[in-house]
Amino acid sequence: MELDLIGQDIANLRQVDWNQATRYNSINLHFNRLTNLRGLPPLTNIVELNLSSNHFKSCGLPELSSLPNLMTLDLSGNKIASLRHLPYLPTLRNLSVAFNFITSLEHVHESVPNLEQLDVRGNQIARSVDLDALAELGQLRVLFIGGPQQNPVCSRIPNMTRLFQICESLQLVDEKTASEWRTIQLLDAPTPKFDELMKQRQTKDAAATSA
């Protein structure tokens, strides 16, 4: 059950009545004016927290440690430049920091060692070396990094195929397997063109099967 606090112009969590918070396992604070989490009480029942589209400039949010069962955290659409000060969150499995100002994933493994899905789309990661910390995320399966507002590093397809070498546990990057990214590299085709070719192949295979 979700505690819906979307778009309520909240700038201070002390404004919130937390008396019934133990009834919920999810809190949605999307589109408010938060810059910090002071006033957030310890809540052992919360597994999902949405802090997207607020005014956070840092991941230095120590109150997150008071959510000992947190599994999903959304910090997308803020003004965060670094993951350096993210608290240690050993239970976290899904993290979105999409559409911020992040230039490197350095130190991410120190804060979220058991992460399985990471979304860093729409940031400013420009160098392949700034992704090397992914090597320490031994349970990471899914990474989102490209798309319409891709990180500059995504402009070179070899950087995308290298991600699977950096992080051996990765299964999907932008919903494509390592084999699909290698094919894109061999074809020297931009991903929209590759998607079109794959769709044509699937249609042809389906027609052949039904014939």
Side-chain angles (χ1 to χ4, degrees), residues 3-153:
L3 176 57
D4 185 349
L5 298 170
I6 297 173
Q8 296 191 21
D9 202 35
I10 298 169
N12 189 328
L13 290 181
R14 295 187 178 94
Q15 299 173 227
V16 178
D17 181 1
W18 296 106
N19 288 330
Q20 303 297 318
T22 55
R23 298 171 50 198
Y24 303 94
N25 59 19
S26 174
I27 300 174
N28 195 334
L29 283 154
H30 170 74
F31 197 57
N32 281 287
R33 296 190 295 116
L34 294 170
T35 59
N36 61 69
L37 294 179
R38 288 191 287 273
L40 180 70
L43 295 167
T44 59
N45 49 300
I46 297 302
V47 298
E48 182 172 355
L49 179 61
N50 189 336
L51 298 172
S52 61
S53 300
N54 276 274
H55 297 170
F56 296 106
K57 294 183 179 180
S58 168
C59 284
L61 304 169
E63 294 82 3
L64 290 173
S65 298
S66 68
L67 307 177
N69 295 305
L70 189 65
M71 298 184 68
T72 297
L73 175 62
D74 189 345
L75 281 163
S76 61
N78 282 284
K79 301 175 182 179
I80 297 167
S82 170
L83 298 177
R84 179 182 293 270
H85 300 297
L86 187 67
Y88 181 58
L89 302 170
T91 61
L92 202 71
R93 298 295 185 268
N94 303 296
L95 173 64
S96 176
V97 286
F99 309 109
N100 279 282
F101 300 97
I102 295 165
T103 58
S104 172
L105 298 186
E106 188 178 8
H107 302 295
V108 65
H109 61 285
E110 298 171 5
S111 302
V112 286
N114 298 309
L115 206 62
E116 296 176 359
Q117 179 170 306
L118 176 62
D119 188 347
V120 294
R121 291 172 297 165
N123 279 283
Q124 298 175 6
I125 302 168
R127 304 182 306 164
S128 181
V129 67
D130 292 321
L131 300 168
D132 283 353
L134 293 175
E136 305 299 327
L137 292 175
Q139 297 187 49
L140 190 67
R141 303 288 183 269
V142 178
L143 176 67
F144 294 95
I145 191 171
Q149 298 183 47
Q150 65 182 14
N151 286 270
V153 70

